[in-house]
Amino acid sequence: MSQFLVQLGNAATVVEAYLAAALGKQEGAGTPPRLADAIRHAVLGGGKRFRPFLVFHSAALFGVSEQAALPAAGAIECIHCYSLVHDDLPAMDNDELRRGRPTVWKAYDDWTAILVGDALQAFAFELVAAPDSNSDAGIRADLVHVLAVASGALGMVGGQQLDLEAGKLADQPEPSVQSIMRLQAMKTGALITAACEMGAIVGRARPEERAALKTYGEHLGAAFQISDDLLDAEGSSADTGKATGKDAAAGKATLIGMLGIKEARSHLDRSIEAAIAALNVFGNKAEPLIGAARLMGRRDS
Amino acid sequence: MSQFLVQLGNAATVVEAYLAAALGKQEGAGTPPRLADAIRHAVLGGGKRFRPFLVFHSAALFGVSEQAALPAAGAIECIHCYSLVHDDLPAMDNDELRRGRPTVWKAYDDWTAILVGDALQAFAFELVAAPDSNSDAGIRADLVHVLAVASGALGMVGGQQLDLEAGKLADQPEPSVQSIMRLQAMKTGALITAACEMGAIVGRARPEERAALKTYGEHLGAAFQISDDLLDAEGSSADTGKATGKDAAAGKATLIGMLGIKEARSHLDRSIEAAIAALNVFGNKAEPLIGAARLMGRRDS
């Protein structure tokens, strides 16, 4: 197993324990039991915990421990989990399974799933704003701000809106390579970029260091999405090389459908190289983040 | 028109202008147009703006201008608006009209309404965390924290969960006066209390002053809810004095249904007096907040 996958697994273990404890504390204060169960179903059901990994290893560039970066890592994972719960709803993507388990609306009901997502979004901001999460209020407020912008109408939620408009509304304009890249940069890229920036904030990075991590995150987010699309396209028809996977079946426009697999692969490679180049300022301390970028070129899950 | 209603109207004008400008700024940065329209529909469609009023007049006790309290006032109104958009969804209360206009899901669709709510929640935290919203990062972080706790599983969202469980799930335990009061304290009381606390935070209140405003908010929230229930019950059958309004028709347990109108009125009066008593420490500076409490005893809308 690659060094990156070991580090990813470690990050997952640490953040999952933190979130289980934080949710337990909230439950002790009186979360309605059925809501508490559904929140645990949403948050503690596995997942790669890629965003917490990015927070940890961005913060580590500045000598910050995982412990100190935990509230930021846990918060961004709560945002990611809430977005999955809402995206899976019948009114959105109508998915019944996630990671081999029933989705929250399927295991409970639509209204509980909506409320789970709403509660998790609030919980994310509670985690990073809590006085005991960081002794520096400037860091707490900055973390909230970056996370809120990345999650909102100009970021994740806006990207999901554009994605659903393309799939559900009639008479939509034909997508362009540029419009798809913008949609993806909002829907998945914004949160990946925010994870890197939040690590920089916790690490009290200088502006040019924070900017470097932001650039890394933007290219990494693009690579992440193309690699996802390639997995989808190649997974179902590796031999033909045509994009005939789930996305194509759902009528979703992807870069691969527009560029073809060869050009998409080349785009992926360029994004990976650009992500790695942004880390130059950090020297070999950035090895874990470099590893994350390199793995986008050879994902198999 | 009472002094209170004049002040309420002024607060509404000020916060509506602030929110329109803040949304306009976000749109300028690239909110997807259909999402932007739906957000405006949700936020700028009127409403009493009672929570912003409470923020303004709690902050004013400490000499803080409306201008300085605006981000907190706007943020809590965004949380309130998002909760209405989600509560109106077919999967929740299935309401087609609000303030005489189609609800967001009816005017657009379910998925847009879900995303409008999600975006507005993020926007609320963005408003109070933004560096230019307050020069003191400790105030920004504290505002986020109080608002997040009040909005989440232990507050507003948890209360909505309990309310929907009572209405939608079979084999629920018979509600008690105590369980209804807890549900209402979470569903509507938490945000009303948070509004008062947020005013105290912006005003750098001493701990005992903040505690007094919190106590005021808790009693005010209880009075608000009973007075709502009384309006509902008496509106439809003032002569009979029986609770035969919308809540009763929906099978919703209310304090009035359990206590009868006379005892509920007496409970309302006690809540109003307790709210006003909590303001003693502020002397006659607290006149607007006293006026708000008094009006709960004679609401006609």
Side-chain angles (χ1 to χ4, degrees), chain A residues 114-175:
Chain A
I114 295 168
L115 292 171
V116 163
D118 292 348
L120 275 175
Q121 180 169 188
F123 194 57
F125 293 110
E126 180 182 338
L127 288 177
V128 275
D132 62 1
S133 71
N134 196 300
S135 59
D136 184 335
I139 288 178
R140 301 201 301 273
D142 206 2
L143 289 171
V144 170
H145 190 241
V146 164
L147 187 57
V149 173
S151 308
L154 297 175
M156 187 182 76
V157 169
Q160 175 70 349
Q161 174 78 21
L162 293 175
D163 205 14
L164 290 175
E165 284 181 7
K168 291 183 187 283
L169 298 183
D171 302 325
Q172 290 299 291
E174 202 59 38

Short mmCIF file of all heavy atoms in Angstrom, two decimals, chain A residues 114-175:
data_model
loop_
_atom_site.label_atom_id
_atom_site.label_comp_id
_atom_site.label_asym_id
_atom_site.label_seq_id
_atom_site.Cartn_x
_atom_site.Cartn_y
_atom_site.Cartn_z
N ILE A 114 -33.34 15.65 5.36
CA ILE A 114 -33.17 17.10 5.18
C ILE A 114 -32.66 17.71 6.49
O ILE A 114 -31.71 18.50 6.51
CB ILE A 114 -34.49 17.77 4.74
CG1 ILE A 114 -34.90 17.25 3.34
CG2 ILE A 114 -34.35 19.29 4.71
CD1 ILE A 114 -36.32 17.62 2.93
N LEU A 115 -33.27 17.30 7.60
CA LEU A 115 -32.88 17.86 8.90
C LEU A 115 -31.49 17.40 9.32
O LEU A 115 -30.74 18.17 9.96
CB LEU A 115 -33.93 17.52 9.95
CG LEU A 115 -35.28 18.22 9.74
CD1 LEU A 115 -36.34 17.67 10.70
CD2 LEU A 115 -35.14 19.74 9.91
N VAL A 116 -31.11 16.19 8.99
CA VAL A 116 -29.75 15.72 9.28
C VAL A 116 -28.73 16.63 8.58
O VAL A 116 -27.75 17.06 9.17
CB VAL A 116 -29.56 14.26 8.81
CG1 VAL A 116 -28.08 13.90 8.70
CG2 VAL A 116 -30.26 13.30 9.77
N GLY A 117 -28.99 16.91 7.30
CA GLY A 117 -28.07 17.78 6.57
C GLY A 117 -28.03 19.17 7.19
O GLY A 117 -26.95 19.75 7.37
N ASP A 118 -29.19 19.69 7.53
CA ASP A 118 -29.24 21.03 8.13
C ASP A 118 -28.50 21.07 9.46
O ASP A 118 -27.76 22.02 9.76
CB ASP A 118 -30.71 21.45 8.35
CG ASP A 118 -31.45 21.68 7.04
OD1 ASP A 118 -30.79 21.76 5.98
OD2 ASP A 118 -32.68 21.79 7.07
N ALA A 119 -28.70 20.03 10.28
CA ALA A 119 -28.04 19.99 11.58
C ALA A 119 -26.52 19.85 11.41
O ALA A 119 -25.74 20.47 12.15
CB ALA A 119 -28.58 18.82 12.41
N LEU A 120 -26.11 19.05 10.43
CA LEU A 120 -24.67 18.86 10.23
C LEU A 120 -23.99 20.11 9.74
O LEU A 120 -22.82 20.36 10.07
CB LEU A 120 -24.42 17.71 9.24
CG LEU A 120 -24.43 16.32 9.87
CD1 LEU A 120 -24.30 15.26 8.78
CD2 LEU A 120 -23.28 16.19 10.87
N GLN A 121 -24.69 20.88 8.92
CA GLN A 121 -24.08 22.13 8.48
C GLN A 121 -23.86 23.05 9.69
O GLN A 121 -22.77 23.61 9.87
CB GLN A 121 -24.90 22.84 7.40
CG GLN A 121 -24.22 24.12 6.98
CD GLN A 121 -24.74 24.83 5.74
OE1 GLN A 121 -24.12 25.78 5.28
NE2 GLN A 121 -25.86 24.41 5.18
N ALA A 122 -24.86 23.19 10.53
CA ALA A 122 -24.70 24.02 11.73
C ALA A 122 -23.58 23.47 12.62
O ALA A 122 -22.78 24.23 13.17
CB ALA A 122 -26.03 24.07 12.50
N PHE A 123 -23.54 22.15 12.74
CA PHE A 123 -22.53 21.52 13.61
C PHE A 123 -21.12 21.82 13.10
O PHE A 123 -20.19 22.04 13.90
CB PHE A 123 -22.78 20.01 13.65
CG PHE A 123 -22.05 19.30 14.76
CD1 PHE A 123 -22.23 19.67 16.08
CD2 PHE A 123 -21.18 18.26 14.48
CE1 PHE A 123 -21.57 19.00 17.11
CE2 PHE A 123 -20.51 17.58 15.50
CZ PHE A 123 -20.71 17.95 16.82
N ALA A 124 -20.94 21.83 11.79
CA ALA A 124 -19.62 22.14 11.23
C ALA A 124 -19.14 23.50 11.71
O ALA A 124 -18.00 23.65 12.17
CB ALA A 124 -19.69 22.11 9.69
N PHE A 125 -20.02 24.48 11.64
CA PHE A 125 -19.61 25.83 12.04
C PHE A 125 -19.46 25.92 13.56
O PHE A 125 -18.60 26.65 14.06
CB PHE A 125 -20.59 26.86 11.49
CG PHE A 125 -20.54 26.95 9.98
CD1 PHE A 125 -21.58 26.49 9.19
CD2 PHE A 125 -19.39 27.44 9.36
CE1 PHE A 125 -21.49 26.54 7.80
CE2 PHE A 125 -19.31 27.50 7.97
CZ PHE A 125 -20.35 27.05 7.19
N GLU A 126 -20.26 25.17 14.27
CA GLU A 126 -20.11 25.12 15.73
C GLU A 126 -18.72 24.58 16.10
O GLU A 126 -18.06 25.13 16.99
CB GLU A 126 -21.21 24.23 16.32
CG GLU A 126 -21.15 24.11 17.83
CD GLU A 126 -22.24 23.17 18.38
OE1 GLU A 126 -23.26 22.95 17.69
OE2 GLU A 126 -22.05 22.66 19.50
N LEU A 127 -18.29 23.54 15.41
CA LEU A 127 -17.00 22.92 15.75
C LEU A 127 -15.84 23.91 15.61
O LEU A 127 -14.97 23.98 16.48
CB LEU A 127 -16.73 21.70 14.85
CG LEU A 127 -17.57 20.45 15.12
CD1 LEU A 127 -17.23 19.37 14.11
CD2 LEU A 127 -17.36 19.94 16.54
N VAL A 128 -15.80 24.65 14.52
CA VAL A 128 -14.66 25.56 14.33
C VAL A 128 -14.81 26.88 15.07
O VAL A 128 -13.82 27.57 15.30
CB VAL A 128 -14.33 25.85 12.85
CG1 VAL A 128 -13.44 24.76 12.29
CG2 VAL A 128 -15.56 26.03 12.00
N ALA A 129 -16.03 27.23 15.45
CA ALA A 129 -16.21 28.50 16.18
C ALA A 129 -16.10 28.32 17.69
O ALA A 129 -15.94 29.30 18.42
CB ALA A 129 -17.57 29.11 15.84
N ALA A 130 -16.19 27.09 18.18
CA ALA A 130 -16.19 26.85 19.62
C ALA A 130 -14.92 27.40 20.27
O ALA A 130 -13.82 27.20 19.76
CB ALA A 130 -16.31 25.35 19.90
N PRO A 131 -15.08 28.09 21.40
CA PRO A 131 -13.93 28.72 22.05
C PRO A 131 -12.79 27.75 22.32
O PRO A 131 -11.62 28.12 22.22
CB PRO A 131 -14.51 29.26 23.37
CG PRO A 131 -15.97 29.41 23.11
CD PRO A 131 -16.35 28.37 22.10
N ASP A 132 -13.12 26.48 22.66
CA ASP A 132 -12.05 25.54 22.99
C ASP A 132 -11.44 24.88 21.77
O ASP A 132 -10.56 24.02 21.89
CB ASP A 132 -12.55 24.49 23.99
CG ASP A 132 -13.69 23.65 23.41
OD1 ASP A 132 -14.07 23.88 22.25
OD2 ASP A 132 -14.19 22.77 24.12
N SER A 133 -11.89 25.26 20.56
CA SER A 133 -11.33 24.62 19.37
C SER A 133 -9.99 25.22 18.98
O SER A 133 -9.17 24.56 18.34
CB SER A 133 -12.31 24.72 18.20
OG SER A 133 -12.38 26.06 17.73
N ASN A 134 -9.77 26.46 19.36
CA ASN A 134 -8.50 27.13 19.04
C ASN A 134 -8.42 28.36 19.93
O ASN A 134 -9.41 29.09 20.06
CB ASN A 134 -8.45 27.53 17.55
CG ASN A 134 -7.04 27.87 17.09
OD1 ASN A 134 -6.41 28.78 17.62
ND2 ASN A 134 -6.53 27.12 16.13
N SER A 135 -7.27 28.62 20.51
CA SER A 135 -7.17 29.75 21.44
C SER A 135 -7.19 31.10 20.70
O SER A 135 -7.40 32.13 21.33
CB SER A 135 -5.89 29.63 22.27
OG SER A 135 -4.77 29.62 21.40
N ASP A 136 -7.01 31.07 19.40
CA ASP A 136 -6.94 32.31 18.62
C ASP A 136 -8.28 32.54 17.90
O ASP A 136 -8.61 31.83 16.95
CB ASP A 136 -5.80 32.19 17.61
CG ASP A 136 -5.58 33.46 16.80
OD1 ASP A 136 -6.54 34.25 16.64
OD2 ASP A 136 -4.46 33.66 16.32
N ALA A 137 -9.03 33.56 18.37
CA ALA A 137 -10.35 33.82 17.78
C ALA A 137 -10.24 34.23 16.32
O ALA A 137 -11.16 33.98 15.54
CB ALA A 137 -11.08 34.90 18.58
N GLY A 138 -9.13 34.84 15.94
CA GLY A 138 -8.93 35.22 14.54
C GLY A 138 -8.90 33.98 13.65
O GLY A 138 -9.45 33.98 12.54
N ILE A 139 -8.25 32.93 14.13
CA ILE A 139 -8.21 31.67 13.38
C ILE A 139 -9.62 31.06 13.31
O ILE A 139 -10.06 30.62 12.24
CB ILE A 139 -7.21 30.69 14.03
CG1 ILE A 139 -5.78 31.19 13.78
CG2 ILE A 139 -7.39 29.26 13.51
CD1 ILE A 139 -4.69 30.33 14.40
N ARG A 140 -10.35 31.07 14.42
CA ARG A 140 -11.69 30.48 14.41
C ARG A 140 -12.60 31.20 13.41
O ARG A 140 -13.29 30.56 12.61
CB ARG A 140 -12.33 30.57 15.81
CG ARG A 140 -11.52 29.85 16.90
CD ARG A 140 -12.34 29.51 18.13
NE ARG A 140 -12.96 30.64 18.82
CZ ARG A 140 -12.37 31.38 19.76
NH1 ARG A 140 -11.12 31.12 20.12
NH2 ARG A 140 -13.01 32.37 20.34
N ALA A 141 -12.58 32.53 13.45
CA ALA A 141 -13.45 33.29 12.54
C ALA A 141 -13.03 33.08 11.09
O ALA A 141 -13.89 32.96 10.20
CB ALA A 141 -13.43 34.77 12.91
N ASP A 142 -11.74 33.01 10.84
CA ASP A 142 -11.24 32.84 9.47
C ASP A 142 -11.63 31.46 8.93
O ASP A 142 -12.03 31.33 7.76
CB ASP A 142 -9.72 33.02 9.48
CG ASP A 142 -9.17 33.49 8.14
OD1 ASP A 142 -9.96 33.73 7.21
OD2 ASP A 142 -7.93 33.61 8.03
N LEU A 143 -11.54 30.44 9.77
CA LEU A 143 -11.94 29.10 9.36
C LEU A 143 -13.42 29.07 8.98
O LEU A 143 -13.81 28.49 7.96
CB LEU A 143 -11.69 28.09 10.49
CG LEU A 143 -10.23 27.74 10.79
CD1 LEU A 143 -10.13 26.91 12.08
CD2 LEU A 143 -9.59 26.99 9.62
N VAL A 144 -14.26 29.70 9.80
CA VAL A 144 -15.69 29.76 9.50
C VAL A 144 -15.91 30.44 8.16
O VAL A 144 -16.68 29.96 7.31
CB VAL A 144 -16.46 30.52 10.60
CG1 VAL A 144 -17.91 30.79 10.16
CG2 VAL A 144 -16.43 29.76 11.92
N HIS A 145 -15.21 31.55 7.96
CA HIS A 145 -15.45 32.33 6.75
C HIS A 145 -15.08 31.55 5.49
O HIS A 145 -15.87 31.48 4.53
CB HIS A 145 -14.67 33.65 6.82
CG HIS A 145 -15.05 34.61 5.75
ND1 HIS A 145 -14.17 35.07 4.80
CD2 HIS A 145 -16.24 35.18 5.44
CE1 HIS A 145 -14.80 35.88 3.97
NE2 HIS A 145 -16.05 35.98 4.34
N VAL A 146 -13.91 30.95 5.49
CA VAL A 146 -13.47 30.18 4.31
C VAL A 146 -14.42 29.01 4.06
O VAL A 146 -14.80 28.72 2.91
CB VAL A 146 -12.01 29.70 4.50
CG1 VAL A 146 -11.66 28.60 3.51
CG2 VAL A 146 -11.06 30.88 4.35
N LEU A 147 -14.80 28.33 5.13
CA LEU A 147 -15.69 27.17 4.99
C LEU A 147 -17.08 27.59 4.49
O LEU A 147 -17.68 26.91 3.66
CB LEU A 147 -15.78 26.43 6.33
CG LEU A 147 -16.53 25.10 6.34
CD1 LEU A 147 -15.93 24.11 5.34
CD2 LEU A 147 -16.52 24.49 7.74
N ALA A 148 -17.56 28.72 5.00
CA ALA A 148 -18.90 29.18 4.61
C ALA A 148 -18.93 29.58 3.13
O ALA A 148 -19.86 29.23 2.40
CB ALA A 148 -19.34 30.35 5.48
N VAL A 149 -17.92 30.30 2.69
CA VAL A 149 -17.89 30.72 1.29
C VAL A 149 -17.80 29.50 0.37
O VAL A 149 -18.50 29.39 -0.63
CB VAL A 149 -16.71 31.69 1.03
CG1 VAL A 149 -16.58 31.99 -0.46
CG2 VAL A 149 -16.92 32.99 1.82
N ALA A 150 -16.93 28.55 0.74
CA ALA A 150 -16.75 27.36 -0.11
C ALA A 150 -18.00 26.49 -0.15
O ALA A 150 -18.23 25.78 -1.13
CB ALA A 150 -15.57 26.54 0.41
N SER A 151 -18.80 26.53 0.92
CA SER A 151 -20.00 25.68 0.99
C SER A 151 -21.21 26.26 0.31
O SER A 151 -22.17 25.54 0.06
CB SER A 151 -20.40 25.46 2.46
OG SER A 151 -19.34 25.03 3.23
N GLY A 152 -21.20 27.55 0.06
CA GLY A 152 -22.43 28.26 -0.29
C GLY A 152 -22.72 28.39 -1.77
O GLY A 152 -22.30 27.57 -2.59
N ALA A 153 -23.45 29.44 -2.09
CA ALA A 153 -23.98 29.65 -3.43
C ALA A 153 -22.88 29.85 -4.48
O ALA A 153 -23.09 29.60 -5.66
CB ALA A 153 -24.92 30.85 -3.44
N LEU A 154 -21.72 30.31 -4.04
CA LEU A 154 -20.60 30.49 -4.99
C LEU A 154 -19.70 29.26 -5.01
O LEU A 154 -18.73 29.21 -5.77
CB LEU A 154 -19.77 31.72 -4.60
CG LEU A 154 -20.50 33.05 -4.65
CD1 LEU A 154 -19.60 34.17 -4.13
CD2 LEU A 154 -20.94 33.36 -6.08
N GLY A 155 -19.99 28.29 -4.17
CA GLY A 155 -19.16 27.10 -4.08
C GLY A 155 -20.00 25.83 -4.26
O GLY A 155 -20.70 25.68 -5.26
N MET A 156 -19.94 24.98 -3.25
CA MET A 156 -20.55 23.65 -3.34
C MET A 156 -22.03 23.67 -3.71
O MET A 156 -22.46 22.96 -4.62
CB MET A 156 -20.34 22.95 -2.00
CG MET A 156 -20.76 21.51 -1.96
SD MET A 156 -20.53 20.84 -0.28
CE MET A 156 -21.94 21.56 0.57
N VAL A 157 -22.82 24.48 -3.01
CA VAL A 157 -24.26 24.50 -3.28
C VAL A 157 -24.54 25.04 -4.68
O VAL A 157 -25.39 24.51 -5.41
CB VAL A 157 -25.01 25.32 -2.21
CG1 VAL A 157 -26.46 25.57 -2.62
CG2 VAL A 157 -24.97 24.61 -0.86
N GLY A 158 -23.81 26.08 -5.07
CA GLY A 158 -24.00 26.62 -6.42
C GLY A 158 -23.66 25.60 -7.49
O GLY A 158 -24.34 25.50 -8.52
N GLY A 159 -22.61 24.82 -7.26
CA GLY A 159 -22.22 23.78 -8.22
C GLY A 159 -23.28 22.69 -8.33
O GLY A 159 -23.60 22.22 -9.43
N GLN A 160 -23.84 22.30 -7.19
CA GLN A 160 -24.91 21.29 -7.22
C GLN A 160 -26.13 21.84 -7.95
O GLN A 160 -26.79 21.13 -8.71
CB GLN A 160 -25.27 20.88 -5.78
CG GLN A 160 -26.45 19.93 -5.66
CD GLN A 160 -26.19 18.52 -6.17
OE1 GLN A 160 -25.17 18.27 -6.82
NE2 GLN A 160 -27.10 17.61 -5.92
N GLN A 161 -26.41 23.13 -7.74
CA GLN A 161 -27.53 23.75 -8.45
C GLN A 161 -27.31 23.66 -9.97
O GLN A 161 -28.21 23.24 -10.72
CB GLN A 161 -27.66 25.22 -8.04
CG GLN A 161 -28.69 26.03 -8.82
CD GLN A 161 -30.13 25.79 -8.39
OE1 GLN A 161 -30.38 25.33 -7.28
NE2 GLN A 161 -31.06 26.08 -9.29
N LEU A 162 -26.12 24.03 -10.43
CA LEU A 162 -25.84 23.99 -11.88
C LEU A 162 -25.92 22.56 -12.41
O LEU A 162 -26.42 22.31 -13.50
CB LEU A 162 -24.45 24.58 -12.15
CG LEU A 162 -24.30 26.08 -11.89
CD1 LEU A 162 -22.85 26.51 -12.09
CD2 LEU A 162 -25.22 26.89 -12.82
N ASP A 163 -25.41 21.62 -11.62
CA ASP A 163 -25.44 20.22 -12.04
C ASP A 163 -26.88 19.73 -12.19
O ASP A 163 -27.22 19.07 -13.18
CB ASP A 163 -24.70 19.38 -10.97
CG ASP A 163 -24.14 18.08 -11.55
OD1 ASP A 163 -24.08 17.95 -12.79
OD2 ASP A 163 -23.75 17.21 -10.76
N LEU A 164 -27.73 20.06 -11.24
CA LEU A 164 -29.12 19.61 -11.31
C LEU A 164 -29.89 20.35 -12.40
O LEU A 164 -30.75 19.76 -13.06
CB LEU A 164 -29.81 19.79 -9.95
CG LEU A 164 -29.32 18.83 -8.85
CD1 LEU A 164 -29.97 19.16 -7.51
CD2 LEU A 164 -29.61 17.37 -9.21
N GLU A 165 -29.57 21.61 -12.59
CA GLU A 165 -30.22 22.34 -13.69
C GLU A 165 -29.94 21.64 -15.02
O GLU A 165 -30.84 21.47 -15.84
CB GLU A 165 -29.73 23.80 -13.75
CG GLU A 165 -30.33 24.67 -12.65
CD GLU A 165 -29.86 26.12 -12.72
OE1 GLU A 165 -29.16 26.50 -13.70
OE2 GLU A 165 -30.18 26.89 -11.79
N ALA A 166 -28.68 21.24 -15.21
CA ALA A 166 -28.31 20.58 -16.47
C ALA A 166 -29.07 19.27 -16.65
O ALA A 166 -29.44 18.90 -17.77
CB ALA A 166 -26.80 20.33 -16.49
N GLY A 167 -29.32 18.57 -15.53
CA GLY A 167 -29.97 17.27 -15.63
C GLY A 167 -31.48 17.32 -15.61
O GLY A 167 -32.15 16.45 -16.18
N LYS A 168 -32.05 18.34 -14.99
CA LYS A 168 -33.50 18.32 -14.73
C LYS A 168 -34.31 19.36 -15.49
O LYS A 168 -35.52 19.19 -15.64
CB LYS A 168 -33.76 18.52 -13.23
CG LYS A 168 -33.32 17.34 -12.36
CD LYS A 168 -33.67 17.60 -10.89
CE LYS A 168 -33.12 16.54 -9.95
NZ LYS A 168 -33.88 15.28 -9.96
N LEU A 169 -33.70 20.45 -15.90
CA LEU A 169 -34.48 21.49 -16.55
C LEU A 169 -34.41 21.36 -18.07
O LEU A 169 -33.36 21.02 -18.63
CB LEU A 169 -33.96 22.88 -16.14
CG LEU A 169 -34.06 23.23 -14.65
CD1 LEU A 169 -33.56 24.66 -14.43
CD2 LEU A 169 -35.48 23.09 -14.13
N ALA A 170 -35.53 21.63 -18.69
CA ALA A 170 -35.54 21.61 -20.16
C ALA A 170 -34.87 22.86 -20.70
O ALA A 170 -34.68 23.84 -19.98
CB ALA A 170 -36.99 21.53 -20.63
N ASP A 171 -34.50 22.80 -21.97
CA ASP A 171 -34.01 23.99 -22.68
C ASP A 171 -32.76 24.60 -22.03
O ASP A 171 -32.61 25.83 -21.99
CB ASP A 171 -35.10 25.07 -22.77
CG ASP A 171 -36.35 24.55 -23.47
OD1 ASP A 171 -36.18 23.75 -24.39
OD2 ASP A 171 -37.46 24.95 -23.08
N GLN A 172 -31.89 23.75 -21.51
CA GLN A 172 -30.64 24.27 -20.97
C GLN A 172 -29.64 24.46 -22.11
O GLN A 172 -29.65 23.72 -23.08
CB GLN A 172 -30.06 23.29 -19.94
CG GLN A 172 -30.88 23.22 -18.67
CD GLN A 172 -30.93 24.55 -17.97
OE1 GLN A 172 -29.94 25.02 -17.46
NE2 GLN A 172 -32.09 25.19 -17.98
N PRO A 173 -28.79 25.47 -21.97
CA PRO A 173 -27.77 25.67 -23.01
C PRO A 173 -26.84 24.45 -23.08
O PRO A 173 -26.60 23.79 -22.07
CB PRO A 173 -27.01 26.91 -22.52
CG PRO A 173 -27.32 27.03 -21.07
CD PRO A 173 -28.69 26.45 -20.89
N GLU A 174 -26.35 24.15 -24.25
CA GLU A 174 -25.38 23.07 -24.43
C GLU A 174 -24.15 23.36 -23.57
O GLU A 174 -23.61 24.46 -23.62
CB GLU A 174 -24.99 23.00 -25.92
CG GLU A 174 -24.44 21.66 -26.37
CD GLU A 174 -25.44 20.52 -26.15
OE1 GLU A 174 -26.66 20.74 -26.36
OE2 GLU A 174 -24.99 19.45 -25.76
N PRO A 175 -23.71 22.41 -22.74
CA PRO A 175 -22.55 22.70 -21.90
C PRO A 175 -21.26 22.81 -22.73
O PRO A 175 -21.13 22.18 -23.77
CB PRO A 175 -22.48 21.49 -20.96
CG PRO A 175 -23.18 20.40 -21.69
CD PRO A 175 -24.24 21.05 -22.52
#
